[in-house]
Amino acid sequence: MDILIIGNGFDLAHGLKTSYGQFLEFCKEQMEASNPVTYFDYKQCLATNLWLKHFINKQEKLGDTWIDLEKEIYEVVKFINKHPIVTGSGIFEETCPQILTINASNNSFNFYSLNKDNNLYLSIANHNGYDNYEIIEDTSVYRVHFDKSEFFINFLYDQLREFTRAFEQYLINEIMAKLVRDDKYILTLPTSNTRLCVLSFNYTDTCFKLYDHSRNPYTEYSIETIFVHGKVQNSNDCELILGTKSFKSSDDYAAISPDFNIFKKHNQRHKYNTIEPYQELLRLIKLPNTNPVFHIIGHSLDESDRKILKHILDADKNAAIKVYYHDEESQERLINNITDIIGEEEVMTRVQLIDQHDEKRGILRPVERTVLTSY
């Protein structure tokens, strides 16, 4: 049984602008566009969404390095947990209702500027009677009233879900709706199997649309995809997983309050029910005579998905693991990361590092023929 594990590098290898940094650039362009898109109000989102403002501000400071949203969410959670927003003193006094004031026209907002004396963003006000929080808008500011500090966490999570919905609409309308089959590569696994299980950490269905034999006469695979973090879809509810790694007791900041657990991808996988197909795959791998072979491409193997990757890779200790890299820098990084996941002894006996474009052993082999078909 061949299991292809893919991350966002798979989409990027096919020229798709699916990185978070590219999405943030798109949002900034929409702010200035004379004819903005109509499927989602990105201008309004940029005016009022704290996470979008914060991410853009962070990206501008990083310059040419793409932002890692999941790590940044973690840093924000640690910062807010460390400061007295949660403890009921300092920024948020439990004895008083609060108002968070967001400047709609100023995109320089960042969470690290929140403090008791920063009245531009946070101030005490005499306002009572809200069960959770209430949003009041006018032309220049966006005010959110809180009765209790924990409602601030609820608000932040709702804002993150709004950001996730904005990203989902971008992927649907700007990426998948415009996807064309450009036969730049042939997907070739060293196996005679025609059924391919794809364990995708992406939100997009790129592999199926490009390489399932029902859509591409040049491929032989029947592809079944399991989406660990959800799949983009046009519906009223966004069920994509966007969060951070699990919290560790050894974090450099104080122990993170359980109130923030909703920001963990682990909790979201269960909340939005993306974990069950993955659990079924684990059970299948453990059956006798399954003989799984793992092919990993386009995934950084970094710590945010480390636990779930360890489960799948350790499900059968005899399974071969083939990790495909695109350059020497990524090769070294992947060696380190896969070692952190399963240990040096397992890497010595089970792992092969392979150039993904190698003419004999790679699985994305370049071809000269180009045939364009719109989906």
Side-chain angles (χ1 to χ4, degrees), residues 57 74 85 102 104 108 116 123-124 239 258 265 280 284 317 331 336 342 354 362 368 371:
N57 182 266
Y74 185 59
I85 296 175
I102 307 164
S108 64
K116 187 175 181 180
S123 58
I124 296 174
E239 297 184 347
K265 289 196 290 186
E280 289 297 322
L284 177 61
K317 290 288 189 177
Q331 179 190 33
N336 294 334
I342 62 174
I354 303 170
E368 296 181 358
V371 180

Side-chain angles (χ1 to χ4, degrees), residues 170-197:
Y170 166 79
L171 292 175
I172 291 171
N173 293 280
E174 300 297 323
I175 306 300
M176 301 311 292
K178 299 177 182 179
L179 179 65
V180 296
R181 195 186 78 226
D182 180 354
D183 293 336
K184 181 179 180 181
Y185 301 114
I186 295 176
L187 181 67
T188 304
L189 276 67
T191 177
S192 59
N193 293 335
T194 58
R195 177 175 173 267
L196 178 61
C197 178

Side-chain angles (χ1 to χ4, degrees), residues 260-277:
F260 290 99
N261 283 350
I262 192 62
F263 290 94
K264 297 193 298 186
K265 289 196 290 186
H266 168 78
N267 289 56
Q268 291 182 26
R269 291 182 190 119
H270 289 274
K271 178 179 176 63
Y272 299 109
N273 197 31
T274 67
I275 198 67
E276 290 185 11

